[in-house]
Amino acid sequence: MNDLEGIGGPLRHALRRLGLTDVEQFLRLANHWDEVAGPPWAGATQPLMLQDGQLIVEAAQLAAVRMLRYATGDLQRRLDDFLGVGEVKTIRVIGPA
């Protein structure tokens, strides 16, 4: 059972009101990120949010952001295989906070 199943509908409703419509898919992805993402993403990035088909990924190092922005093709294919085609429409890579 995932965390949202135990809390139920009120939390899902509140998160959807905040625009977080893909919470369950995001949690599934976050729990399996390194195996789904593969190189060069695994260990160097972490998913932050999946909202309306946009996956926001944070790179551990600012220098990696530009390189990873141009390497989204393989990640997109792996995401399609794992979550289903169309669940992630765009990937946005940002630097560390």
Side-chain angles (χ1 to χ4, degrees):
M1 169 165 52
N2 70 38
D3 294 340
L4 290 179
E5 288 176 14
I7 296 171
L11 179 58
R12 279 191 195 96
H13 180 70
L15 291 171
R16 285 189 181 110
R17 287 184 60 199
L18 292 171
L20 303 175
T21 55
D22 305 313
V23 175
E24 282 124 351
Q25 286 286 59
F26 175 77
L27 290 174
R28 184 171 165 239
L29 178 60
N31 286 331
H32 299 280
W33 178 250
D34 281 347
E35 70 184 70
V36 172
W41 301 86
T45 62
Q46 66 179 8
L48 296 181
M49 181 186 301
L50 177 59
Q51 181 178 8
D52 297 327
Q54 181 182 55
L55 176 64
I56 300 174
V57 177
E58 180 183 56
Q61 297 179 349
L62 192 56
V65 172
R66 180 172 285 156
M67 188 234 4
L68 291 171
R69 284 181 179 160
Y70 292 103
T72 59
D74 287 338
L75 177 59
Q76 182 68 58
R77 284 185 285 283
R78 290 190 296 267
L79 292 168
D80 287 346
D81 289 344
F82 184 73
L83 296 174
V85 174
E87 287 293 318
V88 174
K89 295 175 184 77
T90 60
I91 300 166
R92 181 175 161 211
V93 183
I94 63 171

